[in-house]
């Protein structure tokens, strides 16, 4: 039997109980602790966590184009490096490309590779041509000027150059560090849900100075779970 709940269509739990659940989610508690604190069944908790993460991913995908001072970088998540395997990143890891607007938000996208065509295709779709782009020296960023990005500055990590005035990618590297620390607590994430966890990291990072609890409730009022 369903009860009235403006956050969930045909809900079997009350609004008060669901708000309690969202408060626990906002505190970034795991499913076990949420079930313990709310008294909800573990399967119910996992189901609503999955649905909320899907809503968050949809929300993140609608980010506005980036402009101003922008940092781009790629990172690798997942399996440990295998000895003897060389090349960009590590064998068995999942490559993720990121764009960060200084003083603004970050956007992430799982990519099949970090080739020039892949990375620059995303940059063209997400970064305004008038932007100032900062990157490392990876060859995937060669030729951005030819695409119309007249201001592209690079940090050469191979020369131990990690910051040179405004020429750095400390912002996006800070996000990578945050995301990897946060994901470690799950002790391994299935490939099929990695995207949703990545987007949750993006969301929490972007709105770290705001009330996550209120943001999620507002999101679900506008687009209830089903």
């Amino acid at each position: 039997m369903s009860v009235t709940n403006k956050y969930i269509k045909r809900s079997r739990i009350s609004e008060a109980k669901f708000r309690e659940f969202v408060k626990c989610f906002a505190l970034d508690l795991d499913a076990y602790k949420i079930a313990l604190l709310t008294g909800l069944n573990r399967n119910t908790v996992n189901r609503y966590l999955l649905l909320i993460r899907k809503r968050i991913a949809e929300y993140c995908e609608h980010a506005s184009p980036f402009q101003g001072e922008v940092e781009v970088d790629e990172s690798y998540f997942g399996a440990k490096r295998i000895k003897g395997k060389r090349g960009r990143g590590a064998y068995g890891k999942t490559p993720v490309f990121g764009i960060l607007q200084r003083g603004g938000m970050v956007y992430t996208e799982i990519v099949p590779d970090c080739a020039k065509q892949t990375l620059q295709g995303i940059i063209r779709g997400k970064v305004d041509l008038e932007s100032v782009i900062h990157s490392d020296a990876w060859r995937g960023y060669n030729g951005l000027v030819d695409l119309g990005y007249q201001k592209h500055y690079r940090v050469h990590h191979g020369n131990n150059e990690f910051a040179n005035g405004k020429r750095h990618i400390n912002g996006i590297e800070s996000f990578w560090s945050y995301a990897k620390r946060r994901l470690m607590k799950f002790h391994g994430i299935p490939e099929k849900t990695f995207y949703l966890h990545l987007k949750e990291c993006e969301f929490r990072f972007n709105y770290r100075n705001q009330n996550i609890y209120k943001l999620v409730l507002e999101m679900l009022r506008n687009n209830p779970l089903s």
Side-chain angles (χ1 to χ4, degrees), residues 119-155:
L119 303 187
Q120 295 192 11
I122 299 171
I123 292 172
R124 283 199 306 270
K126 289 289 182 181
V127 182
D128 186 272
L129 280 175
E130 299 302 316
S131 301
V132 178
I133 296 180
H134 301 269
S135 75
D136 62 15
W138 172 238
R139 61 177 178 269
Y141 304 118
N142 293 347
L144 282 175
V145 172
D146 296 331
L147 293 179
Y149 296 97
Q150 297 301 313
K151 298 179 180 179
H152 176 208
Y153 302 111
R154 313 180 82 142
V155 177

Side-chain angles (χ1 to χ4, degrees), residues 104-204:
M105 296 187 177
V106 67
Y107 170 80
T108 61
E109 188 168 324
I110 298 171
V111 291
D113 54 58
C114 292
K116 177 178 176 179
Q117 183 177 1
T118 302
L119 303 187
Q120 295 192 11
I122 299 171
I123 292 172
R124 283 199 306 270
K126 289 289 182 181
V127 182
D128 186 272
L129 280 175
E130 299 302 316
S131 301
V132 178
I133 296 180
H134 301 269
S135 75
D136 62 15
W138 172 238
R139 61 177 178 269
Y141 304 118
N142 293 347
L144 282 175
V145 172
D146 296 331
L147 293 179
Y149 296 97
Q150 297 301 313
K151 298 179 180 179
H152 176 208
Y153 302 111
R154 313 180 82 142
V155 177
H156 296 271
H157 289 166
N159 299 330
N160 292 320
E161 179 184 282
F162 290 92
N164 183 5
K166 287 187 175 182
R167 298 186 186 186
H168 64 78
I169 53 172
N170 295 346
I172 187 67
E173 289 182 338
S174 176
F175 170 75
W176 296 138
S177 178
Y178 159 77
K180 289 178 180 181
R181 284 197 313 271
R182 181 178 175 276
L183 293 177
M184 282 179 63
K185 74 177 185 177
F186 295 100
H187 306 293
I189 296 173
E191 183 179 352
K192 65 180 181 180
T193 58
F194 173 67
Y195 165 76
L196 298 179
H197 283 279
L198 178 66
K199 285 299 176 180
E200 183 184 351
C201 288
E202 180 183 318
F203 178 80
R204 290 183 183 277

Side-chain angles (χ1 to χ4, degrees), residues 31-51:
Y32 172 78
K33 290 180 181 177
I34 294 176
L36 192 65
L37 291 172
T38 62
L40 292 170
N41 178 277
R42 179 70 177 271
N43 290 335
T44 300
V45 169
N46 283 328
R47 176 173 178 268
Y48 285 129
L49 285 175
L50 179 65
L51 291 173

Side-chain angles (χ1 to χ4, degrees), residues 86-98:
R86 299 185 177 183
R88 189 70 168 181
Y91 183 82
K93 286 180 173 276
T94 300
V96 178
F97 179 60

Side-chain angles (χ1 to χ4, degrees), residues 79-93:
K80 294 182 179 179
R81 182 184 297 273
I82 297 176
K83 188 175 182 180
K85 296 291 183 179
R86 299 185 177 183
R88 189 70 168 181
Y91 183 82
K93 286 180 173 276

